[in-house]
Each structure stands twice: as C-alpha cells, then as structure tokens.
Amino acid sequence: MAPRANKIRLSKGGNSAGKVRFWKPTVAESREGIIVQAKIPGDIQRIVDFKRKRMLDMGLHLQPFIILIGKDFTNIQKAYVRIDSVSYELPSLLKALDLLFKIYLVFNLQYPLECENFCYLIQWGLYEIRTKSDEQIPFVFNTLNQMKREDKKMQLS
C-alpha cells in the first residue's frame, strides 16, 4: 500500500531547531516502517540504531517493528518483534505481525506515520477492530470498500 498521500508535518526540533518541517515518505520508507530485513543477526543493532537516529532526527519516536533475518524476504530464517531495546523471537512473519498489531492495539500506540495507511488497512480489514483513537483515512476506507465489492463479485461467480 502506498504511503500517506499527504506530507507529514513533523514536530519542531531535530536538526532544524524551531522550523516546521514536512516529510512525504517514499514507498521504501513506508515498507520499512514496520518490517525491516537484516541479512545476518549481526546487522540487527546497526539497523535499530539507524532507524532510531532517523526517527529522533525527525522529532518522532521509534515505534515497535519487525526484524526479519534472511538473505531475502523469501528465505526468512528468524522473525523478531522489536520494542525499545528488547527483541522477541517469533516462529514466523505472520506470528510476528500478529503480535506487533496486538501490541499496538493493547497499548494504544500510534502507528508509524510512514506506514499508517497499511496499518489501518490491516487493523480494520483483517482484525475488524475500530477504536475511538483511530485516524480517519478516506483512502483506507475506499480501499476496504473496493476489496469487499471485489470479494462479493468473486463469491457470485
């Protein structure tokens, strides 16, 4: 799913003290908002440090995310959910994704801004959970409605 259509207004601070800054995440940044890949376990700390510094530079907080270990996404050896400085190993990407979304929902955490659309699509479409604190994103509503219409068409065929 594409990143937010609008630019994200970042908080004041970071490297440009006092200035209001905007960020329009790329597709790659959106993808890496909740899932990053490391080729070997030794890359994990470097990836976490880079991600944490990047968020800090923009005045944002590092939110929980998934780290996959493997040479590519088709050869995943391990999956972790990273929360602050702790990594929890899970048996698969699906289990890691499930735990990650449960953490976001139980602790009422804000989704990473760069992949907010994707996160709400999963929350509303897959888990069918709505909360009072949900951001109202028309693009996600439209996508879910289109998916439901396509599903009905397939069932009628």
Side-chain angles (χ1 to χ4, degrees), residues 35-50:
I35 300 175
V36 295
Q37 186 217 355
K39 295 196 184 302
I40 60 171
D43 290 341
I44 291 175
Q45 195 56 50
R46 179 186 53 79
I47 289 169
V48 170
D49 291 344
F50 176 80

Side-chain angles (χ1 to χ4, degrees), residues 97-99 101-102 105 122-129:
L97 201 56
D98 184 55
L99 177 62
F101 275 89
K102 288 176 180 173
L105 292 168
I122 291 176
Q123 178 188 325
W124 298 335
L126 186 63
Y127 288 101
E128 298 180 346
I129 295 174

